[in-house]
């Protein structure tokens, strides 16, 4: 265990909703809810204004609409969130090469492995703690300056305690838990505060009369091993007494995960090829999940009867480990390959891996996209292929109008689309309504928030 609180955990505050409020001046100070807007959608992030109405992440969207009908309901802009995330992660990497992202807006940083490591190693206790606090406050100020957003930071001697500290710091705060204080801080917390204790384990513990972390620590290791099994019970006991020596782990080595299969007889039938691709994609997803990873690029490899090999790939908008999305993408790639003469080998891989499993929001949107693709293909097969469907405008989407400039879609329906014309640096903008197929209106890329893509920041 460390004697200095040199592990920090950063967690951006209401991240997706905060990015939306920064990008859309008319939404600042108002309830904003980002998530799946379809029938079975769930809330991904609610702004603090929406949380006052009881809305929280993972809540069914229908319930959120009942609780807070006047909120802005947005479908999420992956590219915008990734841009801001890149800026934030870049600031963390200035503090240490050991940065472990848990999601787009959350990461552990090991300060001892970075440029301040030697100073921390030499410092007496009090000086060391002051240095950690100063670095954390500088980080929060840098994030605010570069993105306009707030993040909360926890500093402690372990990942367990750093994460608990950042929760206590929310929103827009900094909390340090001094090494030695672990048991005092953890004791009164409910057992669910510990990682690895989900609803099922909580039930088991509750039936045994164990409700707080202090209860776990007092009941002892052997009792917990009896209740939860050897590995889990021992791990939970260690955590309950504040012992956590899990290291901060930076980007893992693997760059891709793939599986392939060679066939005894060359496959010449398209349906058979597609079925095999589905099986391979499903295996690939299992392997990806087993490694606790997700990825953005789906790769299909085809070796033909003459041993010529070709690969086709498609890059998704965000990393995923969703089997429906990966299978559908692999099928789509396979449907485009010339298989005349037969196929000897097929492979499916996922590359551009991320260290974290997918945010709910990305999975939902990618799943909807995959379903749409599948529908479109089925329709095209039956109907005349040149018939393009009506343009789809998603709430929150960035657009550009030939005369009125940049704006975002506030809503659409019955052949109309409503756009609010404003930018991150304008005041609240005005609303105009157009026909959904108005040629002057185009989908657009997200505009940068403040300096996060600004060249003037590069040398600063
Ligand atoms: Mg967060």
């Amino acid at each position: 265990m460390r004697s200095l609180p040199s592990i920090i955990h950063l967690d951006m505050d209401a991240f997706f909703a905060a990015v939306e409020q920064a990008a859309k001046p008319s939404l600042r100070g108002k309830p904003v809810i980002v998530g799946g807007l379809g029938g079975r959608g769930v809330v991904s992030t609610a702004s603090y204004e929406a949380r006052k109405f009881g809305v929280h992440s993972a809540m069914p969207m229908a319930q959120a609409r009942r609780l807070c009908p006047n909120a802005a309901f947005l479908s999420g802009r992956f590219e915008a969130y990734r841009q801001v995330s890149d800026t934030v992660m870049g600031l963390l990497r200035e503090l240490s090469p050991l940065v472990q992202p848990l999601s787009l807006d959350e990461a552990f940083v090991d300060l001892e492995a970075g440029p301040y490591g030697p100073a921390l190693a030499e410092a007496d206790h009090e000086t060391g703690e002051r240095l950690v606090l100063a670095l954390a406050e500088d980080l929060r100020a840098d994030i605010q300056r570069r993105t306009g957003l707030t993040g909360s930071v926890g500093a402690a001697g372990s990942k367990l305690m750093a994460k608990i500290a950042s929760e206590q710091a929310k929103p827009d705060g900094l909390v340090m838990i001094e090494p030695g204080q672990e048991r005092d801080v953890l004791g009164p917390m409910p057992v669910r505060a510990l990682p690895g204790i989900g609803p099922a384990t909580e039930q088991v513990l509750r039936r045994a009369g164990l409700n707080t972390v202090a209860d776990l620590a007092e009941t002892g290791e052997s009792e917990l091993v009896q209740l939860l099994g050897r590995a889990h019970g021992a791990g939970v006991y260690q955590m309950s007494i504040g012992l956590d020596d899990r290291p901060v782990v930076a980007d893992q080595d693997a760059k891709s995960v793939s599986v392939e299969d060679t066939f005894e007889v060359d496959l010449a039938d398209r349906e058979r090829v597609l079925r095999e691709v589905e099986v391979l994609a499903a295996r690939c997803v299992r392997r990806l999940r087993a490694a606790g990873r997700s990825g953005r690029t789906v790769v299909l490899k085809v070796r033909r009867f003459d041993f010529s090999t070709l690969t086709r790939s498609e890059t998704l908008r965000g990393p995923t480990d969703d089997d429906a999305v990966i299978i559908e993408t692999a099928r789509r790639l396979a449907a485009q390959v010339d298989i005349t003469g037969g196929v000897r080998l097929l492979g499916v891989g996922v590359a551009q891996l991320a260290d974290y499993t997918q945010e709910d929001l990305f999975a939902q949107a990618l799943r909807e996209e995959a379903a749409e693709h599948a529908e479109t293909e089925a329709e095209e097969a039956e109907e005349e292929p040149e018939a393009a469907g009506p343009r789809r405008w998603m709430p929150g989407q960035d657009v550009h109008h030939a005369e009125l400039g940049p704006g975002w879609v506030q809503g659409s329906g019955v052949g109309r689309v409503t756009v609010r014309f404003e930018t991150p640096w304008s005041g609240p903008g005005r609303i105009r309504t157009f026909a959904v197929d108005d040629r002057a209106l185009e989908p657009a890329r997200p505009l940068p928030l403040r300096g996060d893509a600004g060249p003037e920041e590069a040398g600063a």
Side-chain angles (χ1 to χ4, degrees):
M1 289 292 285
R2 300 173 185 225
S3 58
L4 272 178
S6 53
I7 293 178
I8 63 174
H9 179 257
L10 167 76
D11 191 353
M12 299 295 287
D13 302 322
F15 182 57
F16 295 165
V19 172
E20 296 301 344
Q21 289 176 322
K24 300 172 167 68
S26 62
L27 299 183
R28 291 175 197 161
K30 307 236 170 78
V32 173
I33 297 170
V34 179
L37 303 181
R40 289 183 191 165
V42 297
V43 174
S44 183
T45 310
S47 73
Y48 284 93
E49 295 85 353
R51 291 181 196 190
K52 285 184 194 143
F53 293 84
V55 180
H56 57 77
S57 50
M59 171 182 278
M61 190 58 81
Q63 190 182 353
R65 286 188 193 274
R66 282 195 298 275
L67 288 171
C68 194
N70 296 322
F73 291 89
L74 306 175
S75 66
R77 297 176 305 131
F78 320 99
E79 195 181 349
Y81 308 151
R82 198 161 51 236
Q83 277 176 12
V84 180
S85 175
D86 286 348
T87 302
V88 171
M89 296 296 167
L91 290 169
L92 297 181
R93 291 196 176 91
E94 289 175 17
L95 288 173
S96 173
L98 277 189
V99 173
Q100 181 177 6
L102 303 178
S103 70
L104 281 178
D105 76 312
E106 212 187 315
F108 289 112
V109 184
D110 185 348
L111 295 175
E112 281 182 13
Y116 300 95
L120 286 169
E122 278 171 24
D124 64 60
H125 202 79
E126 208 187 312
T127 316
E129 290 190 345
R130 272 210 306 275
L131 177 54
V132 170
L133 286 175
L135 292 172
E137 276 304 4
D138 283 352
L139 169 67
R140 288 180 4 90
D142 284 345
I143 288 172
Q144 174 115 43
R145 185 173 54 80
R146 292 284 301 277
T147 69
L149 306 182
T150 62
S152 298
V153 174
S158 66
K159 284 160 73 165
L160 168 68
M161 299 312 294
K163 193 158 159 73
I164 284 169
S166 77
E167 270 156 33
Q168 293 181 347
K170 282 196 157 297
D172 194 15
L174 166 62
V175 166
M176 183 169 81
I177 295 174
E178 290 178 39
Q181 302 297 307
E182 287 87 357
R183 288 189 69 162
D184 292 341
V185 172
L186 287 171
M189 301 186 108
V191 294
R192 284 287 291 277
L194 298 182
I197 298 190
T201 307
E202 183 189 26
Q203 280 306 315
V204 172
L205 295 171
R206 176 166 295 166
R207 278 200 294 272
L210 306 172
N211 297 304
T212 65
V213 178
D215 293 340
L216 300 179
E218 279 157 27
T219 200
E221 183 168 0
S222 57
E223 180 95 6
L224 289 174
V225 165
Q226 274 192 2
L227 284 169
L228 305 177
R230 174 106 71 98
H232 194 195
V236 165
Y237 178 69
Q238 294 286 308
M239 297 272 183
S240 77
I241 57 171
L243 289 182
D244 171 27
D245 55 5
R246 293 171 300 161
V248 177
V249 187
D251 298 335
Q252 288 156 41
D253 305 335
K255 295 280 185 281
S256 69
V257 168
S258 64
V259 296
E260 55 183 50
D261 214 349
T262 309
F263 305 102
E264 303 263 304
V265 181
D266 294 354
L267 308 180
D269 172 44
R270 173 79 63 189
E271 275 311 309
R272 176 76 199 283
V273 167
L274 293 178
R275 272 204 308 279
E276 293 294 345
V277 164
E278 279 182 20
V279 171
L280 287 166
R283 262 171 61 198
C284 183
V285 169
R286 283 200 294 277
R287 199 170 286 187
L288 187 69
R289 287 183 179 167
R293 314 294 298 275
S294 62
R296 266 190 82 198
T297 301
V298 178
V299 183
L300 175 78
K301 177 172 158 187
V302 178
R303 181 166 299 143
R304 289 185 284 202
F305 70 101
D306 59 358
F307 286 93
S308 64
T309 302
L310 55 86
T311 58
R312 293 284 180 270
S313 67
E314 182 173 327
T315 296
L316 305 165
R317 290 193 301 174
T320 186
D321 67 350
D322 187 307
D323 49 0
V325 172
I326 291 169
I327 290 170
E328 178 55 31
T329 308
R331 268 186 65 99
R332 193 154 64 239
L333 291 168
Q336 296 158 9
V337 172
D338 176 14
I339 58 162
T340 320
V343 169
R344 183 148 297 176
L345 172 149
L346 287 169
V348 174
V350 175
Q352 286 210 65
L353 299 186
D355 280 338
Y356 44 92
T357 47
Q358 200 40 66
E359 302 273 351
D360 283 345
L361 176 61
F362 287 89
Q364 283 185 69
L366 292 169
R367 203 185 258 278
E368 278 166 21
E369 256 173 35
E372 249 171 53
H373 263 293
E375 267 171 37
T376 317
E377 272 165 25
E379 279 166 21
E380 276 172 4
E382 290 163 19
E383 307 287 333
E384 61 276 43
E386 68 268 29
R391 290 206 281 179
R392 244 175 243 264
W393 301 104
M394 301 298 287
Q397 181 183 351
D398 294 293
V399 292
H400 192 274
H401 187 276
E403 284 132 43
L404 299 166
W408 58 276
V409 172
Q410 200 157 45
S412 77
V414 288
R416 316 288 282 171
V417 53
T418 304
V419 175
R420 191 182 279 276
F421 289 96
E422 60 185 3
T423 68
W425 49 87
S426 73
R430 276 183 295 177
I431 292 176
R432 293 280 301 272
T433 297
F434 306 92
V436 288
D437 56 358
D438 192 320
R439 288 277 144 209
L441 202 61
E442 293 285 350
R445 309 262 322 262
L447 295 166
L449 308 176
R450 303 204 180 177
D452 69 320
E456 72 275 16
E457 289 282 333

